[in-house]
Amino acid sequence: MMDLAPPRTTKAIIDGALCAAASGETNEVRSPIDGLVFAELPRCGAEDLDRAVRGARTAFEDRRWQGMTPKARKKIMSAWAELVEAEFDELCALQSRDMGMPITMARNLEMANALDALRWYAEVCDKLYEEMVTLEDNVTALIQRTPLGVVGAILPWNAPAMIGAWKVGPALAAGNCVVLKPAEEASMVWLRLGELALQAGVPAGVLQVVPGRGSVIGSGLSRHMDVDALTFTGSGPVGRQIMAAAADSNLKRVSLELGGKSANIVMADAPDLTMAADVQVGFMFSNQGQVCEAPSRLLVQREIAEDFLAEVAARAAALRIGNPLDERTDMGPIVSAAQREAVVAHIDLAEADGGELILDGRAMPVPAEGYYLGASVIRVDDPHVHIAQEEVFGPVLTAIAFDTVDEAISIANATRYGLGAGLWSDSMDTIMYATRRLVAGNINVNGGSGPAVELPFGGFKESGFGRDRSLHAVDKFSDTKNIILRSKR
Ligand code: NAP
Ligand code: MG
């Protein structure tokens, strides 16, 4: 088990200084492991937010960051990544403790991808080329890339280091100044990442971390008249409020990464059904199912459905539930007592709707303290029932049998969402046919792979719009400006 030192940082980062909330208000941070308070953080208010936005605006206008040579910015961002790497294990443990992510996932996925993204976007700084076009013999136009200004970033609690790095990395690489609002359920890691950024030489005002309530700091950012762009990952209802606030204020550019109800289609000709069952269970129940892209709908071809579901349920039943700081743990606690209750309510409703509980997580033995819940596998016939349509954001897998690939595609696409999809088949014809028709931003075929900073990430329909990761994310935080040059001869 990990050694639990007290958290290094419990301060907001505003205009280059570590500080408390102006009001002095604090927020007690409880670990979902045992429900006990382990830190007190500032709960910032409107005054703090205004100060942060002013600091960001000043830093942007005086060009202390955007005016630096790209190589100098790269050097600072690389130094930041080095500091993060030096504290890697401690940051992972902090994250586990704050929101219950198993330590192995914190290391192999959350913090590993956060670090990779910081490095990748550091390298982007001096590899952004601009365009030029000749209009006449003596007229040349430069199409310059220009940062947007002050970028607000609002994070969810489920994988904040990684998701935050996918936003902050490209925003900084493009020359913007960022005001980041972490979720109160998981603020600790960004307070430290922000402090390390300062230590690495990110100038004051360029990256600020303002912890506080969504209804105050998140809402305040989204309606602020001096914030130029807002990037959000979280729930659909809050995403809608943010868009409305942007429209009602200064028309800031918004990009939204919202939820999903991703389908994983397993055809009878899947090349490796054992691997398919492993990936289905591993991906679905990682982070206790609190993953936006989780393959939460298993669509399985009828002729193999009985056997495959038995395999999946057996693997899910064998997942080790326990303290997330224990290396052997597969599933830690749900992030909060309220979230656990919400997940259980989804299972209750699925049962009332006639769903068959192949595996009932509510009945699984779990540690007495903390907000633990076992994995559930629920089979339904009707793809339109609640549990087959609504995002649970917890350890609940819904399974549906189908007969033909066309039926699978139509079930897969028949939700409000369009974030991820999976497909298992040995037929290139099936793969080409289905992947062209599936409405999802990320489609894993025969196992695919985990998140990669090289690939754009985001969804269609009510899963939101705009892409995190890759160079497409840099486009999101910058825009073009034409300089048309006429020479006398
Ligand atoms: P959430 O309730 O939408 O919260 C997300 C963030 O928005 C938090 O920082 C929250 O602050 C803040 N917020 C709350 N009210 C706000 C408002 N009126 N204006 C602006 N910001 C506000 O979602 P969550 O509970 O953190 O995360 C779970 C959801 O996120 C799930 O639905 C999941 O699907 C989605 N998600 C999507 C992705 C993706 O990439 N597509 C990734 C991860 C999660 P406080 O919580 O501190 O009050
Ligand atoms: Mg927490």
Side-chain angles (χ1 to χ4, degrees):
M1 212 87 80
M2 304 282 308
D3 189 23
L4 290 182
R8 287 176 190 262
T9 313
T10 52
K11 292 281 192 282
I13 300 167
I14 299 179
D15 213 7
L18 306 190
C19 57
S23 67
E25 201 186 336
T26 59
N27 168 32
E28 290 186 330
V29 178
R30 277 173 205 282
S31 173
I33 297 173
D34 49 20
L36 300 178
V37 174
F38 78 100
E40 260 189 41
L41 296 187
R43 183 172 265 158
C44 292
E47 194 183 325
D48 305 295
L49 176 62
D50 268 341
R51 210 155 61 76
V53 174
R54 269 202 309 279
R57 175 60 57 195
T58 303
F60 186 71
E61 297 297 334
D62 73 15
R63 306 183 70 85
R64 70 185 77 160
W65 182 245
Q66 62 164 322
M68 219 180 245
T69 66
K71 264 200 202 319
R73 277 194 271 127
K74 162 177 154 173
K75 203 169 162 197
I76 291 172
M77 287 181 70
S78 302
W80 182 23
E82 294 308 310
L83 293 180
V84 171
E85 184 168 41
E87 224 171 279
F88 190 86
D89 285 340
E90 199 178 321
L91 288 164
C92 292
L94 181 64
Q95 184 73 311
S96 266
R97 198 175 178 192
D98 196 7
M99 52 66 68
M101 176 184 292
I103 189 72
T104 47
M105 175 178 172
R107 286 193 196 128
N108 302 331
L109 192 120
E110 157 85 336
M111 205 55 67
N113 280 291
L115 181 57
D116 190 40
L118 295 183
R119 292 218 168 96
W120 203 85
Y121 285 109
E123 287 296 333
V124 163
C125 289
D126 65 354
K127 292 169 193 67
L128 292 173
Y129 291 81
E130 287 152 300
E131 295 167 76
M132 193 200 85
V133 67
T134 301
L135 296 176
E136 293 172 42
D137 203 22
N138 64 334
V139 180
T140 297
L142 310 178
I143 305 171
Q144 289 188 341
R145 182 194 291 274
T146 183
L148 298 177
V150 178
V151 172
I154 303 178
L155 302 184
W157 45 259
N158 65 327
M162 175 175 86
I163 293 168
W166 293 344
K167 297 181 186 304
V168 171
L172 292 186
N176 298 281
C177 296
V178 177
V179 178
L180 182 139
K181 183 244 169 305
E184 282 209 313
E185 298 286 11
S187 291
M188 301 295 301
V189 79
W190 266 101
L191 296 183
R192 184 61 182 159
L193 291 175
E195 189 182 5
L196 293 175
L198 279 181
Q199 283 175 19
V202 173
V206 173
L207 173 61
Q208 326 206 38
V209 183
V210 187
R213 287 199 165 95
S215 57
V216 178
I217 305 300
S219 169
L221 263 176
S222 65
R223 58 188 66 256
H224 207 290
M225 292 303 287
D226 208 22
V227 171
D228 300 290
L230 201 137
T231 170
F232 171 78
T233 296
S235 64
V238 173
R240 284 179 154 76
Q241 288 181 37
I242 287 172
M243 247 183 116
D248 286 342
S249 55
N250 64 343
L251 284 175
K252 61 181 63 63
R253 296 164 188 215
V254 168
S255 57
L256 305 174
E257 306 281 6
L258 309 175
K261 191 77 183 178
S262 302
N264 182 33
I265 301 173
V266 182
M267 304 295 297
D269 72 348
D272 185 342
L273 283 170
T274 305
M275 182 181 170
D278 278 340
V279 171
Q280 172 66 63
V281 171
F283 192 176
M284 176 62 230
F285 297 107
S286 73
N287 212 23
Q288 298 78 258
Q290 302 166 135
V291 173
C292 50
E293 208 198 332
S296 55
R297 289 184 301 152
L298 165 57
L299 311 188
V300 54
Q301 203 157 20
R302 201 171 304 278
E303 59 214 87
I304 59 164
E306 215 62 47
D307 290 351
F308 190 73
L309 287 182
E311 280 226 29
V312 163
R315 280 170 167 73
L319 293 170
R320 284 164 307 217
I321 302 166
N323 190 320
L325 292 163
D326 186 330
E327 312 267 340
R328 294 161 303 182
T329 291
D330 298 310
M331 278 172 56
I334 304 293
V335 69
S336 64
Q339 183 68 12
R340 186 187 180 286
E341 259 174 54
V343 175
V344 168
H346 282 288
I347 304 172
D348 294 344
L349 189 51
E351 194 173 34
D353 279 344
E356 178 198 347
L357 274 139
I358 302 176
L359 184 66
D360 186 349
R362 296 168 303 185
M364 216 91 86
V366 296
E369 309 287 309
Y371 318 130
Y372 294 90
L373 180 66
S376 292
V377 179
I378 306 175
R379 182 168 178 175
V380 302
D381 293 325
D382 178 358
H384 302 292
V385 292
H386 172 93
I387 199 67
Q389 289 289 320
E390 298 304 320
E391 183 183 47
V392 174
F393 219 62
V396 181
L397 171 64
T398 302
I400 304 166
F402 66 86
D403 292 301
T404 65
V405 68
D406 282 311
E407 191 189 348
I409 294 165
S410 101
I411 296 172
N413 288 343
T415 72
R416 304 198 304 274
Y417 299 111
L419 191 55
L423 176 64
W424 297 78
S425 170
D426 221 1
S427 155
M428 190 52 82
D429 287 341
T430 301
I431 292 168
M432 295 297 284
Y433 181 82
T435 52
R436 282 195 190 283
R437 286 163 178 76
L438 287 168
V439 183
N442 196 62
I443 306 177
N444 282 310
V445 178
N446 293 332
S449 95
V453 70
E454 297 91 327
L455 302 177
F457 179 65
F460 293 96
K461 301 195 283 183
E462 292 185 31
S463 290
F465 52 85
R467 297 290 180 261
D468 282 340
R469 307 195 313 224
S470 81
L471 292 177
H472 293 281
V474 178
D475 289 340
K476 190 168 73 178
F477 296 120
S478 55
D479 216 334
T480 58
K481 181 196 240 178
N482 304 328
I483 319 288
I484 303 142
L485 304 168
R486 178 180 293 271
S487 59
K488 273 189 267 180
R489 35 188 283 161

